[in-house]
Amino acid sequence: MGLCFSRKSTVKKKSPPAKRLTYQWSSRFQSSKNEDSFTSQDRALAAAILFQQQLQNNGAGVSFDRSTSLRYSNCKAKKKNEGALPRCSSSRSRSLTDPLLQPHQLLNKELTIDDLETNHFVLVHGGGFGAWCWYKTIALLEEAGFKVTAVDLTGSGVHSSDTNSITSLSQYAKPLTDFLEKLVDGEKVILVGHDFGGACVSFAMELYPSKVSKAVFVAATMLTSGQSALDIFSEKDVALASVSMRPIPFSPVLEKLSLSDLKYGSIRRFYIETTEDNAIPIALQQSMISQNPPERVFHLKGADHSPFFSKPQALHRILVELSTVPST
């Protein structure tokens, strides 16, 4: 399922850099809606619309540069009548379970980034999303001192490939596997997969087990060997379509994974449940967990299917905690 964007809806052009454009989401991520009614789906849709407008106005050569969000050292207004923005730039009112804290406050005071096995997170989006959906998580992790890479899978985000031309999971996950292949010997990363990105993470774990420190599945498809994503969603096909920002390639969803204990099984796995998820219901998440038990399960209370929007700080705290877990 895809969204149709009107070319008449545009934003004011600025003089572009010579080669690349960096999105400044925070300064443009505005809404006239009441805060209480501004849901994570609204934010995802708004971000997707702005993203498409940028593509239409500036054409090719667009890149996802770091967190693509403005950073603010504090919440003081820069000008007399200028409103302040929190670091996560969300207009949604915060719940007590996800308080606004500075990134350094979420770290253990005794934690030293350099002492970790790896401080590099690689974020893999779900079906229909793109690297842009992680912009809050990237900002929080980077400001806490971590290195972060968010990839656009083939036909997603800034990739212009026609999803109908994607015929295999290896083709869909190629930007991720290419990134891992280029890592220097001895360098490891923490893979984080959301939604169908979980299948891509599992695929990459089997190919490059020596380059993955641990894997985190966030409301994601965590499959067993010989299982496809379609096997998981066969009783609720709408789960794949309900979160689509762009069409989801069908062939990778049909493909059954071949996972071995020697490679895939050698990596520590963790699952983050989203308790208010209407796309991948908690019962379906728990079914995957029972079929393929990870080392530990975390619960994001009150989180919908997009915790990087609805519970960014709570998600950040879990990722930071997991970074301190040593690999086997």
Side-chain angles (χ1 to χ4, degrees):
M1 179 177 72
L3 294 176
C4 180
F5 301 95
S6 172
R7 291 185 177 273
K8 294 182 179 180
S9 177
T10 59
V11 292
K12 186 177 180 181
K13 290 186 178 180
K14 294 184 178 180
S15 298
K19 294 183 179 180
R20 292 187 173 185
L21 169 70
T22 297
Y23 298 129
Q24 303 295 341
W25 292 107
S26 300
S27 62
R28 299 180 183 180
F29 209 64
Q30 307 289 335
S31 174
S32 59
K33 290 191 174 185
N34 180 280
E35 288 188 354
D36 293 333
S37 66
F38 196 73
T39 66
S40 64
Q41 287 183 327
D42 293 327
R43 286 196 297 278
L45 180 59
I49 291 173
L50 290 176
F51 176 79
Q52 183 69 11
Q53 289 172 345
Q54 292 284 6
L55 288 179
Q56 291 170 350
N57 291 338
N58 297 282
V62 182
S63 67
F64 185 85
D65 183 31
R66 304 186 79 226
S67 72
T68 65
S69 64
L70 290 176
R71 319 291 176 75
Y72 293 86
S73 58
N74 54 53
C75 289
K76 294 181 180 179
K78 293 182 179 181
K79 296 180 181 180
K80 184 176 180 180
N81 296 321
E82 183 180 352
L85 288 173
R87 284 179 182 265
C88 73
S89 305
S90 171
S91 61
R92 177 176 180 171
S93 57
R94 290 185 175 273
S95 67
L96 295 178
T97 60
D98 197 46
L100 179 60
L101 298 173
Q102 303 300 334
H104 68 273
Q105 293 178 285
L106 304 176
L107 288 171
N108 187 312
K109 292 183 179 179
E110 299 178 355
L111 173 64
T112 302
I113 295 293
D114 294 337
D115 293 337
L116 302 176
E117 180 188 26
T118 178
N119 66 350
H120 191 172
F121 283 92
V122 176
L123 309 179
V124 185
H125 63 82
F129 286 95
W132 55 266
C133 73
W134 297 104
Y135 77 99
K136 292 183 182 181
T137 300
I138 295 172
L140 288 168
L141 288 171
E142 284 188 341
E143 290 183 40
F146 291 91
K147 182 178 179 181
V148 191
T149 300
V151 298
D152 275 317
L153 299 173
T154 306
S156 305
V158 299
H159 276 260
S160 58
S161 302
D162 180 4
T163 52
N164 292 319
S165 68
I166 301 172
T167 59
S168 66
L169 183 59
S170 62
Q171 183 183 0
Y172 184 58
K174 193 173 188 303
L176 172 60
T177 55
D178 283 351
F179 174 82
L180 292 175
E181 183 179 12
K182 294 175 183 177
L183 292 176
V184 299
D185 291 341
E187 184 179 358
K188 292 188 175 185
V189 299
I190 300 173
L191 289 182
V192 181
H194 171 248
D195 188 76
F196 185 55
C200 298
V201 164
S202 297
F203 180 78
M205 291 165 65
E206 181 67 20
L207 287 179
Y208 299 102
S210 64
K211 297 186 177 184
V212 182
S213 170
K214 52 185 71 76
V216 186
F217 295 79
V218 184
T221 51
M222 188 172 63
L223 308 176
T224 59
S225 185
Q227 198 173 42
S228 71
L230 188 63
D231 295 330
I232 294 293
F233 293 111
S234 58
E235 296 181 1
K236 192 178 177 64
D237 293 341
V238 71
L240 283 175
S242 63
V243 295
S244 291
M245 296 295 104
R246 290 187 65 181
I248 301 172
F250 193 55
S251 293
V253 178
L254 293 173
E255 188 170 327
K256 296 183 183 295
L257 288 178
S258 178
L259 306 173
S260 66
D261 290 337
L262 181 63
K263 296 179 179 179
Y264 170 85
S266 67
I267 301 170
R268 302 182 78 165
R269 288 181 294 113
F270 304 87
Y271 200 97
I272 301 178
E273 291 181 345
T274 47
T275 60
E276 303 299 322
D277 198 325
N278 292 322
I280 303 182
I282 187 65
L284 182 54
Q285 296 179 47
Q286 292 173 345
S287 175
M288 288 187 287
I289 290 169
S290 65
Q291 293 179 43
N292 189 18
E295 179 175 329
R296 183 177 174 186
V297 178
F298 294 82
H299 311 274
L300 272 180
K301 185 177 180 181
D304 57 19
H305 187 60
S306 303
F308 33 73
F309 292 139
S310 61
K311 296 286 181 181
Q313 302 247 344
L315 175 61
H316 174 70
R317 282 194 295 272
I318 293 175
L319 294 180
V320 170
E321 180 179 347
L322 288 176
S323 72
T324 67
V325 177
S327 65
T328 54

